[in-house]
Amino acid sequence: MAQPHNILIIRLSSLGDVLMSVPAVRALRERFPDAHISWLAEGSVTGILAHQDFIDEVIFFPRAALTRHLRKGHLSTTAYILRDFLKSLRKREYDWIVDLHGIAKSVGLMMIARGKRRIGFGKTFAKDMSHIFYQERVNGFQKRIHKVERNMLAARHLGWADASPIPEAPLLVHENARTYIDDFLRSHDIRPPFFAVNPFASKDSAFKRWPLERYADLIGRIRRERMGSVVIIWGPGEREEAQRLVALVGDNAQLACQTDIAQLYALLARSSVYIGGDTGTTHLASAANVPVLTIFGPTDFIVNRPYSKNSVIIRKDIPCSPCKKKDCRTRECLMTISSDEVFEALRKIPLKDEA
């Protein structure tokens, strides 16, 4: 196999899926240390990707800006943004374009980029008929495998040794992010051990959330048992609900400071245990090598669980799970998980030493 000089990785979003792509990209870096690796992504994940030493370049796809200006009728601004993006995407010819996303949007961007070999997932994993556009297809025999292992199939297709252990996925963050978090913890007198609790999920994923009131019960138990402090994690659009949870628990929890992804990673890395649902922040905590307790509901834990030996899953094995029924009225898979059950599992988790 000819050694590639330029490799383009396409995994646009979301945070959790991007993090579950990191081991495969690390594997390619280890296999081809002299190659120039670019990563095409969108949204806030580009900020933390740009700080990683196994990536040479992050190409930002300005989808949100393009959509916003186009809807407002700002055609000239849209044209300028699109021109600059296309210039960045097409400035070099890639020996390999590896599409780890496998949707119509990623295929469209792959076709626009200049590449010699276009590689993506076969029919087992591809969506939107994306597999028909690849020159080389990475096939799998079992659809329900973890996303990290699925992405590693692509790395192995491209030369990563089968017997090699899957690379770990710790992230680098700038010193300013760690200082920001140190200042927050110091100013609120938060000392180890402390529990990072994230009761939220992305805007269109509320069906995956365990009830806020049960998080309140759990936090109360943690504090009554004097296990440590509790910091409530929140993200864009979640502050009001996070404040409601603080109101439910009184002085038993502290609202986290506002963070970007790098700052959030720095905060999670300082925590003793992380508690949350199936969301990108959970995978960020796992990447920070923090003990993770994940409350799974309708989503497939085999495919989406934190890829860590230091992880505990709480779920109910009911006939209808997994599913993607966002309008489920009973949400039995989540409503049958009690705060007592979660607390008992939490008590058995060894706390992480302070970093």
Side-chain angles (χ1 to χ4, degrees):
M1 178 185 295
Q3 297 290 303
H5 298 291
N6 294 299
I7 302 172
L8 175 63
I9 305 296
I10 303 178
R11 178 71 229 194
L12 300 169
S13 61
S14 55
L15 175 60
D17 289 311
V18 165
L19 293 173
M20 287 187 280
S21 302
V22 163
V25 182
R26 280 189 177 276
L28 291 177
R29 165 56 70 210
E30 291 181 19
R31 177 65 180 82
F32 306 106
D34 297 325
H36 184 281
I37 298 180
S38 303
W39 191 319
L40 176 60
E42 65 182 6
S44 58
V45 296
T46 56
I48 196 162
L49 286 178
H51 202 69
Q52 306 313 306
D53 57 2
F54 59 93
I55 305 169
D56 296 295
E57 175 188 28
V58 175
I59 302 173
F60 177 66
F61 174 45
R63 179 179 64 88
L66 288 169
T67 302
R68 183 174 65 252
H69 287 292
L70 191 59
R71 285 177 177 172
K72 292 181 178 180
H74 301 162
L75 299 184
S76 60
T77 302
T78 302
Y80 286 134
I81 295 172
L82 183 60
R83 180 199 63 186
D84 289 346
F85 165 66
L86 293 177
K87 184 178 179 180
S88 297
L89 181 61
R90 292 179 55 81
K91 70 181 178 182
R92 67 176 74 240
E93 184 178 39
Y94 297 99
D95 298 294
W96 300 347
I97 300 178
V98 186
D99 182 9
L100 297 178
H101 206 137
I103 60 173
K105 180 170 56 176
S106 62
V107 165
L109 294 168
M110 176 192 70
M111 300 302 289
I112 293 171
R114 297 191 297 132
K116 297 175 183 177
R117 293 174 63 187
R118 295 185 172 91
I119 302 122
F121 292 113
K123 191 174 182 180
T124 303
F125 304 117
K127 298 179 181 178
D128 303 338
M129 299 293 289
S130 59
H131 61 284
I132 68 175
F133 296 95
Y134 304 128
Q135 294 165 319
E136 300 175 36
R137 298 174 185 86
V138 179
N139 294 304
F141 300 103
Q142 184 178 353
K143 189 176 181 66
R144 288 186 73 195
I145 63 172
H146 196 280
K147 288 181 179 178
V148 167
E149 295 167 0
R150 182 193 70 183
N151 291 327
M152 286 302 299
L153 292 175
R156 292 188 173 99
H157 175 84
L158 293 168
W160 176 254
D162 282 342
S164 301
I166 294 177
E168 295 184 354
L171 302 175
L172 300 174
V173 297
H174 51 80
E175 187 61 34
N176 289 343
R178 288 192 290 269
T179 300
Y180 177 74
I181 294 305
D182 288 344
D183 290 344
F184 163 73
L185 295 175
R186 190 181 307 110
S187 65
H188 290 86
D189 196 26
I190 299 171
R191 303 175 185 179
F194 78 87
F195 296 78
V197 176
N198 175 32
F200 305 112
S202 57
K203 186 166 54 176
D204 62 344
S205 300
F207 73 110
K208 299 191 296 185
R209 285 175 44 177
W210 198 46
L212 204 65
E213 293 74 16
R214 296 195 186 179
Y215 276 106
D217 290 342
L218 177 64
I219 292 169
R221 289 287 301 276
I222 292 171
R223 295 295 289 155
R224 286 195 298 274
E225 296 289 336
R226 300 181 182 275
M227 294 175 66
S229 302
V230 175
V231 175
I232 297 172
I233 307 296
W234 58 280
E238 297 167 352
R239 184 178 188 122
E240 186 174 333
E241 269 201 288
Q243 289 173 329
R244 185 161 76 86
L245 179 55
V246 170
L248 286 173
V249 300
D251 295 332
N252 285 329
Q254 172 64 49
L255 194 67
C257 53
Q258 184 172 345
T259 60
D260 59 21
I261 294 176
Q263 293 162 345
L264 178 56
Y265 182 85
L267 175 58
L268 295 172
R270 292 289 303 276
S271 68
S272 304
V273 176
Y274 167 90
I275 306 161
D278 176 23
T279 185
T281 304
T282 299
H283 294 284
L284 195 65
S286 179
N289 197 30
V290 173
V292 172
L293 190 156
T294 312
I295 303 166
F296 263 85
T299 48
D300 194 337
F301 77 102
I302 292 176
V303 176
N304 298 295
R305 72 185 186 278
Y307 201 75
S308 167
K309 295 178 181 178
N310 207 7
S311 170
V312 174
I313 302 296
I314 301 291
R315 61 178 294 271
K316 293 296 182 180
D317 189 14
I318 60 176
C320 59
S321 179
C323 80
K324 296 183 179 179
K325 192 175 179 181
K326 295 185 177 183
D327 60 349
C328 178
R329 294 183 178 181
T330 64
R331 299 206 308 148
E332 182 182 355
C333 57
L334 285 167
M335 298 305 293
T336 52
I337 298 174
S338 69
S339 56
D340 289 341
E341 181 179 358
V342 176
F343 179 75
E344 289 305 317
L346 179 63
R347 290 179 64 175
K348 299 174 184 177
I349 298 176
L351 303 184
K352 179 191 174 186
D353 293 333
E354 184 185 14

